[in-house]
Amino acid sequence: MSTQVNIPGYDAGTWVIDSARSEVAFHVRMLGFMKSRGTFDDFEGTIVIAANPLDSSVNAVIRSASVNTKNKKRDQDIQHAGYLNVEQYPTITFNSTGVRADGDDFLVDGDLTALAVTKQVTLRLAAKGSETGTDGQPVARFTADTQLSNKELGVTKGSSFINDTTTVVLEIVATKQAAAAPAAAVPDEAALGEAEQA
């Protein structure tokens, strides 16, 4: 990210994704025209916003079994081998490797690991700024999206009626971690001994 980019309320620090107020959503076309949508409802992550935005990073974990398409039978099918195979691969992870500026947006490159595959993907991210939440804590908001190839990630079922491209859309709300208190100074035993002898 270029420091020339205008980010309202830019606030460096470590931010924890608030899963209760965030959303990890996806959609894929079926039969060429019908769009199937869903979310992952169990996830966590940390965003480190650096003084120089280009040095920022993000790490996130999604629990695969939390897939939710509002159709229980379909969710169960997706959890099985051939799709997400949640028993063998219970998590999907993303670890950023770099950040680039792209106009008013940002491109966050990183390693996405799903099933047995790790792929380099790029999230197009928009920073919506930070504010003070109703509880008095700093809150930052982001949106991001990317597209994934199901086949490249190891999905082997459904190719006859499901489009290979899955679009992922993120609505992220994160709260800032309080800075760690400085460690208390450890008394110098030699100095204490000299003081006692004085």
Side-chain angles (χ1 to χ4, degrees):
M1 301 176 201
S2 167
T3 54
Q4 300 298 314
V5 176
N6 181 26
I7 307 174
Y10 188 84
D11 190 0
T14 299
W15 301 74
V16 176
I17 294 174
D18 183 346
S19 60
R21 292 187 284 175
S22 302
E23 182 180 69
V24 176
F26 63 89
H27 63 260
V28 62
R29 290 196 177 278
M30 302 177 66
L31 303 176
F33 63 92
M34 188 169 60
K35 189 177 287 187
S36 179
R37 303 176 185 273
T39 58
F40 289 97
D41 297 336
D42 186 0
F43 54 90
E44 62 188 64
T46 301
I47 303 166
V48 178
I49 301 177
N52 176 359
L54 283 171
D55 296 329
S56 299
S57 63
V58 57
N59 297 282
V61 178
I62 298 169
R63 271 81 189 183
S64 307
S66 70
V67 64
N68 180 6
T69 65
K70 294 183 170 55
N71 182 314
K72 185 170 291 187
K73 183 180 184 307
R74 182 165 56 204
D75 293 345
Q76 291 173 345
D77 289 342
I78 294 172
Q79 290 173 10
H80 289 159
Y83 291 107
L84 293 178
N85 196 0
V86 301
E87 282 195 18
Q88 189 169 354
Y89 305 104
T91 61
I92 299 168
T93 63
F94 177 80
N95 299 293
S96 67
T97 56
V99 181
R100 297 173 283 144
D102 186 43
D104 290 333
D105 293 336
F106 310 103
L107 301 177
V108 182
D109 301 316
D111 292 327
L112 177 75
T113 300
L115 299 174
V117 178
T118 298
K119 295 291 293 183
Q120 178 79 192
V121 302
T122 298
L123 298 173
R124 177 172 292 278
L125 180 144
K128 300 300 184 179
S130 60
E131 60 196 49
T132 301
T134 56
D135 58 359
Q137 297 299 313
V139 175
R141 301 179 185 276
F142 308 88
T143 61
D145 64 83
T146 192
Q147 292 188 326
L148 307 173
S149 165
N150 302 327
K151 186 181 299 183
E152 289 181 1
L153 289 175
V155 175
T156 58
K157 287 187 175 181
S159 59
S160 62
F161 59 92
I162 300 175
N163 189 287
D164 183 54
T165 301
T166 294
T167 299
V168 179
V169 180
L170 311 176
E171 296 282 346
I172 300 299
V173 176
T175 56
K176 190 175 185 181
Q177 280 190 328
V186 178
D188 187 315
E189 294 183 3
L192 286 175
E194 292 176 0
E196 290 174 355
Q197 294 174 4

